[in-house]
């Protein structure tokens, strides 16, 4: 097969064909973050964090003449990506005492991110001479570009409390909004509740053997955002034979929602031999509803396919 696809009679010549390609990638990346803390009293702690991720990358592929067994004409391909990510996190924690409880706290905050990505691809084929690395030597040059921008913002509330340093409880909710949601879709709510009970602290198991034996159970809902612009009705233009004509691109879906993943898990954490040995066991079941799949439209509409929330996926296991 190696000789067949290279269209050579011996291994040395075939290997030379496959080594004729040259792939180089350069990445420039700059990341930074800053955090501002404010503690007006022993009961309230506040934090604000802003982060930036800037990445510019270029990948260049050169296939010399006779590298491609099907055409033997060689080619040059360049893909560039300019990505900018900006995040912001504002949160506060209010700690206080409640009779009968320990470690009582209420956390609240706001989180947001913005991601922008610009891509460009250029391909040149039919090289005039071996060893060239510029598009000027290609007989046919084609190009494409893409742009993606998405915003997400949400706020959350989390309540935590303990009882006798043995039973620990938490409950919270998060609300998220995203520019990729359909125009008829509002903020999405994601609740969570959890509990853990330390058998060692309660004296149920011998403390001279076990340092920690904790039973825990959690229930939570998370979301996976749809791709940008898939909610919108769009058009495109395809060039052919020196001319360009418009056509349908994405039909649009005003009801496009995020996928929702509901997870229930229960487990055990134990440590013994002066905390030299630890054991963790977890059983979980996660169900994804409103899973996003591409659905073909009626051929008579000429509108191709559209993303819709039509699927359900179940994932369960033991760890």
């Amino acid at each position: 097969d190696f000789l067949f696809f290279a269209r050579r009679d011996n291994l040395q010549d075939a290997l030379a064909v496959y080594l004729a390609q040259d792939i180089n990638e350069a990445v420039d990346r700059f990341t930074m973050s800053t955090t501002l803390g404010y503690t007006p009293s022993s009961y309230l702690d506040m934090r604000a964090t802003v982060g930036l991720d800037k990445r510019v990358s270029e990948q260049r592929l050169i296939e010399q003449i006779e590298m491609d067994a099907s055409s033997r004409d060689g080619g040059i391909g360049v893909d560039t990506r300019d990505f900018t990510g900006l995040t912001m996190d504002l949160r506060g924690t209010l700690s206080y005492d409640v009779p009968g409880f320990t470690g009582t706290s209420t956390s609240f905050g706001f989180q947001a991110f913005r991601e922008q990505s610009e891509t460009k691809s250029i391909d040149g084929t039919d090289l005039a001479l071996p060893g060239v690395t510029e598009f000027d030597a290609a007989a046919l040059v084609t190009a494409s570009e893409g742009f993606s921008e998405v915003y997400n913002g949400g706020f959350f509330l989390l309540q935590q409390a303990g009882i006798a340093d043995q039973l620990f409880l938490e409950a919270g909710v998060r609300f998220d909004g995203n520019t990729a949601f359909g125009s008829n879709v509002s903020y999405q709510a994601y609740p969570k509740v959890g509990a853990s009970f330390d058998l060692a602290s309660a004296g149920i198991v011998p403390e001279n053997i076990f340092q920690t034996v904790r039973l825990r159970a959690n229930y939570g809902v998370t979301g996976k955002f749809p791709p940008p612009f898939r909610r919108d009705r769009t058009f495109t233009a395809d060039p052919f034979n020196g001319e360009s004509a418009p056509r349908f691109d994405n039909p649009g879906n005003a009801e496009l929602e995020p996928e929702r993943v509901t997870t229930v898990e229960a487990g055990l954490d134990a440590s013994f031999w002066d905390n030299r040995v630890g054991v963790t066991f977890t059983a979980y079941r996660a169900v994804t509803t409103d899973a996003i799949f591409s659905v073909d439209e009626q051929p008579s509409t000429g509108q191709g396919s559209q993303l819709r929330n039509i699927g359900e996926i179940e994932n369960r296991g033991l760890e």
Side-chain angles (χ1 to χ4, degrees):
D1 292 342
F2 188 76
L3 298 177
F4 173 79
F5 287 109
R7 295 186 180 182
R8 293 296 186 271
D9 298 326
N10 59 76
L11 184 61
Q12 182 176 356
D13 290 344
L15 183 61
V17 169
Y18 286 102
L19 293 179
Q21 64 177 334
D22 185 21
I23 302 176
N24 291 288
E25 183 171 11
V27 179
D28 292 325
R29 185 174 187 181
F30 171 77
T31 61
M32 61 84 64
S33 66
T34 182
T35 300
L36 176 65
Y38 178 56
T39 306
S41 70
S42 59
Y43 302 101
L44 179 61
D45 179 74
M46 303 192 70
R47 290 286 184 272
T49 302
V50 178
L52 174 67
D53 184 1
K54 179 69 173 180
R55 282 174 283 172
V56 179
S57 62
E58 178 185 281
Q59 185 182 81
R60 179 178 289 264
L61 167 65
I62 300 177
E63 295 181 345
Q64 299 294 346
I65 294 177
E66 297 191 352
M67 165 57 203
D68 189 341
S70 60
S71 68
R72 298 174 180 262
D73 296 326
I76 302 174
V78 174
D79 294 300
T80 63
R81 181 173 184 256
D82 189 335
F83 173 84
T84 303
L86 180 64
T87 61
M88 181 174 62
D89 187 301
L90 305 173
R91 64 178 60 208
T93 300
L94 185 62
S95 303
Y96 48 91
D97 295 327
V98 176
F101 293 90
T102 59
T104 306
S105 66
T106 301
S107 299
F108 54 91
F110 171 80
Q111 294 175 321
F113 70 81
R114 172 185 178 271
E115 293 182 352
Q116 177 180 306
S117 178
E118 299 180 49
T119 59
K120 292 182 176 65
S121 297
I122 307 175
D123 293 292
T125 56
D126 241 345
L127 302 183
L129 296 170
V132 299
T133 59
E134 291 83 23
F135 287 100
D136 295 345
L140 179 63
V141 177
T142 59
S144 63
E145 62 179 334
F147 177 81
S148 173
E149 188 175 39
V150 62
Y151 297 87
N152 184 86
F155 55 93
F156 66 91
L157 181 67
L158 177 65
Q159 180 67 49
Q160 295 177 310
I163 300 177
D165 285 330
Q166 300 171 5
L167 177 63
F168 302 91
L169 307 171
E170 70 171 12
V173 64
R174 180 186 176 96
F175 296 90
D176 273 327
N178 191 287
T179 55
F181 293 172
S183 56
N184 295 336
V185 179
S186 183
Y187 279 86
Q188 300 293 297
Y190 304 117
K192 63 175 290 186
V193 293
S196 66
F197 182 64
D198 193 341
L199 302 180
S201 297
I204 299 177
V205 296
E207 294 186 11
N208 59 338
I209 299 177
F210 295 96
Q211 282 70 59
T212 303
V213 179
R214 178 175 295 140
L215 298 175
R216 51 181 166 77
N218 295 277
Y219 165 88
V221 182
T222 60
K224 180 182 179 181
F225 309 129
F229 304 126
R230 300 301 294 178
R231 71 171 194 174
D232 301 315
R233 186 180 184 89
T234 59
F235 300 85
T236 188
D238 288 336
F240 177 74
N241 198 24
E243 297 184 1
S244 182
R247 67 171 178 85
F248 291 115
D249 185 22
N250 184 59
N253 181 4
E255 307 296 335
L256 189 61
E257 300 181 3
E259 298 180 341
R260 296 178 65 87
V261 183
T262 302
T263 303
V264 178
E265 70 172 38
L268 169 71
D269 300 321
S271 64
F272 50 94
W273 195 14
D274 292 332
N275 289 318
R276 293 187 177 92
V277 179
V279 177
T280 298
F281 173 80
T282 302
Y284 66 89
R285 178 176 182 266
V287 177
T288 302
T289 56
D290 295 328
I292 299 175
F293 288 91
S294 180
V295 179
D296 292 333
E297 301 289 340
Q298 291 293 333
S300 59
T301 65
Q303 296 188 19
S305 60
Q306 170 62 50
L307 294 185
R308 300 190 184 278
N309 301 96
I310 62 169
E312 181 172 310
I313 304 169
E314 181 183 21
N315 179 25
R316 63 171 68 196
L318 302 174
E319 296 179 350

